[in-house]
Amino acid sequence: MQALGRLEDLPQDYRDELASRNLVPLWPNLRAVLPPHVPSRATRPIHWPYATLRPLLMRAGELTPMEKAERRVLVLANPGHGLENMKVSPAMYLGMQLLLPGEWAPAHRHTPNAVRMIVEGRGATTTVNGERCPMERGDLILTPTGQWHEHEHDGQDPVVWLDVLDLPLIYYAEASYAVEGERQAVKAGRGDQAYARGGIVPTPLFERGADAYPMLRYPWAQARAALLDLASSQPDLKAVQVTYVNPETGRDAQSNLGFHALMLRPGQTLRLPARSPAQVFHVVEGSVQARIVDQAFTLVEADTCCAPGYEAVTLVNASGAEPAFVFVADESPLHRKLGVYEVRR
Ligand code: 1HN
């Protein structure tokens, strides 16, 4: 490839004049923004063991009352992007949130899309646009853009969940803001009950369902059962994986980020081909070795790690006797919308 002229090759007076007119020569920067074949990526493979994160989160519970936090979260920040930028990848924000018994995280709505994956504890609920969703381990709960949400906890033990937002993307678009609200009135009915069975949806005989997001809670019991049934009915299927979709449209559950649950059979080694989107892996059950670029992480229950795009990832179930279950978040809906989604074999 032809080497291009450098900035230093240009006379200083010309460079100064360009800068003073808010002009920049393209050719010294062209290779950096269009590298050959593979994009440059700031996303590094990082592992956040829950065993080290949890005590620090509990300490935040002692140090910072709810009134001083609004959302008590430790952000899982990728150092490759700069810790202060609070990104795990170009489009994904990841945080571990703690709610203590009796606490309430007040209602607000914002432009970024959020989901939570419940990690531990019972008795908390998230109310999303008036729908009160119980939070049980492994459940996925959506808070789509613009929808009111608040969290409360009437149980006995701390509740912890993993938040995944498209905040870096929306912030980059200069479209990120929030509005504070009052405590929501809870309405009857829940999407996870109305849409509890795959392929069977309510018939809108008298009222058309106008809700863009008819299902807000995806119970772990359903995802787990779907994976076990898929694995036993298709013994040759290598990637035992399901995708969280909107049950009315069959499309991704949210606009920009994709959410999946994956099962590794006992002893299975699964090589995921290199694909353009960055990914996050969170172990719901079991123990998994993740090989990503030059790293090999051993993840146990509630551990989280991430992988840059355009890299193959190998997942190994550390147990020869029990299946392992992994929650996956990725940037695939965004890449498809942008027209840059790729699989490289
Ligand atoms: C947010 O609204 C929540 O509602 C959690 O629980 C994390 C991170 C950035 C911006 C908004 C929540 C968030 C957030």
Side-chain angles (χ1 to χ4, degrees):
M1 187 173 292
Q2 177 69 48
L4 300 177
R6 301 168 305 164
L7 196 58
E8 308 79 73
D9 301 336
L10 300 169
Q12 191 61 49
D13 68 309
Y14 178 68
R15 288 162 62 181
D16 292 346
E17 171 96 33
L18 286 179
S20 75
R21 310 267 172 215
N22 299 315
L23 295 167
V24 175
L26 172 61
W27 59 96
N29 304 305
L30 185 60
R31 297 282 188 251
V33 294
L34 289 177
H37 301 291
V38 184
S40 56
R41 286 141 302 154
T43 307
R44 287 194 219 145
I46 304 289
H47 174 201
W48 291 271
Y50 193 57
T52 52
L53 196 162
R54 190 182 188 281
L56 295 167
L57 189 57
M58 294 303 152
R59 190 140 177 242
E62 292 158 17
L63 294 170
T64 308
M66 212 48 192
E67 309 80 70
K68 293 285 177 193
E70 205 164 294
R71 298 294 190 266
R72 192 191 289 110
V73 179
L74 293 180
V75 180
L76 285 61
N78 196 312
H81 288 280
L83 294 180
E84 67 287 358
N85 290 315
M86 301 196 299
K87 299 179 186 188
V88 67
S89 68
M92 284 192 282
Y93 156 104
L94 208 55
M96 205 63 92
Q97 182 163 172
L98 170 66
L99 198 64
L100 294 169
E103 286 184 333
W104 175 58
H108 67 182
R109 60 189 175 91
H110 43 66
T111 47
N113 294 277
V115 304
R116 19 217 128 259
M117 164 58 41
I118 317 311
V119 177
E120 71 163 282
R122 306 194 64 198
T125 60
T126 289
T127 304
V128 184
N129 266 11
E131 182 173 320
R132 193 164 184 178
C133 303
M135 302 172 104
E136 304 273 345
R137 197 168 88 87
D139 289 356
L140 182 75
I141 298 174
L142 309 188
T143 308
T145 179
Q147 302 213 355
W148 293 107
H149 55 286
E150 65 198 271
H151 318 297
E152 60 204 287
H153 188 12
D154 303 324
Q156 304 299 312
D157 301 308
V159 163
V160 177
W161 63 82
L162 185 69
D163 291 306
V164 190
L165 282 83
D166 58 5
L167 177 65
L169 175 70
I170 304 299
Y171 186 80
Y172 169 78
E174 299 188 349
S176 181
Y177 71 93
V179 179
E180 290 185 16
E182 303 295 313
R183 193 180 272 271
Q184 299 170 73
V186 175
K187 65 186 186 196
R190 291 216 321 255
D192 62 300
Q193 293 168 332
Y195 294 91
R197 300 201 165 63
I200 300 175
V201 301
T203 309
L205 272 188
F206 300 104
E207 302 162 64
R208 241 199 81 67
D211 208 337
Y213 300 92
M215 188 157 164
L216 296 169
R217 173 174 184 249
Y218 296 75
W220 176 244
Q222 299 286 346
R224 190 181 192 279
L227 288 167
L228 286 168
D229 287 347
L230 186 59
S232 62
S233 69
Q234 298 191 39
D236 298 331
L237 182 67
K238 282 205 291 272
V240 182
Q241 183 174 312
V242 293
T243 296
Y244 293 97
V245 299
N246 178 322
E248 287 287 353
T249 65
R251 295 180 193 276
D252 295 299
Q254 279 190 344
S255 316
N256 299 316
L257 304 182
F259 306 103
H260 319 272
L262 185 153
M263 182 186 124
L264 295 167
R265 300 173 196 267
Q268 184 181 2
T269 296
L270 178 66
R271 185 182 183 276
L272 303 169
R275 297 179 308 136
S276 54
Q279 304 180 83
V280 164
F281 302 95
H282 174 80
V283 174
V284 180
E285 228 180 286
S287 173
V288 174
Q289 193 194 61
R291 296 182 200 137
I292 308 166
V293 195
D294 55 353
Q295 303 286 317
F297 305 131
T298 300
L299 293 94
V300 297
E301 212 168 286
D303 281 13
T304 307
C305 75
C306 65
Y310 299 88
E311 301 290 348
V313 172
T314 301
L315 301 175
V316 184
N317 184 349
S319 167
E322 302 293 336
F325 296 91
V326 182
F327 168 67
V328 185
D330 69 19
E331 300 176 337
S332 56
L334 174 66
H335 278 224
R336 289 200 171 92
K337 278 185 183 146
L338 295 174
V340 300
Y341 183 85
E342 267 185 68
V343 184
R344 295 186 175 181
R345 285 173 199 287

